[in-house]
Amino acid sequence: MDKASLTSVFLTRGASLLKLTLLGAAAGVAMATVSFAQSYDPDEGSGNIVGPGIAYMVQPDGSTNRVGGRTGRVNGAGHAMAMTHGTEVKPGAVLYRSGGKLYLLHNQMIDGKMVEEHARGWTQ
């Protein structure tokens, strides 16, 4: 092999190694992004689960903010008020944001199926 051929082989292999490294890094970032997107509050669990002692308030634009900020936890007075005046969100209920408003659709029978059954076909 002459010197030019040898240099060409190393440049090609170097470029391929660089491309593979960049591709691997991009795949890692993409997977991490999906993981973070699935967890509304990673400190309290995944899949958008609100942990015990944590409250969210619906804002006028339909968005939600954690009461007390990122580390806020509800104290005894807040807990007592929520238990006395709050309403339990039952399994199968759907929270939906549209037009700057947040809607709660209770899991109920509609057109012969429960809402949770209907909801399985709502995504694109």
Side-chain angles (χ1 to χ4, degrees), residues 11-84:
L11 285 176
T12 303
R13 286 188 183 168
S16 295
L17 182 58
L18 178 62
K19 286 178 185 176
L20 286 174
T21 302
L22 290 173
L23 184 61
V29 168
M31 289 189 324
T33 301
V34 170
S35 298
F36 286 122
Q38 289 179 353
S39 181
Y40 189 70
D41 193 340
D43 294 338
E44 297 302 328
S46 62
N48 300 328
I49 297 170
V50 176
I54 304 215
Y56 286 88
M57 184 177 295
V58 179
Q59 302 303 308
D61 67 356
S63 65
T64 55
N65 288 349
R66 184 170 168 171
V67 174
R70 180 158 173 72
T71 59
R73 293 209 176 259
V74 174
N75 61 20
H79 174 80
M81 186 173 285
M83 294 297 102
T84 303

Side-chain angles (χ1 to χ4, degrees), residues 5-16:
S5 296
L6 191 57
T7 302
S8 176
V9 168
F10 282 116
L11 285 176
T12 303
R13 286 188 183 168
S16 295

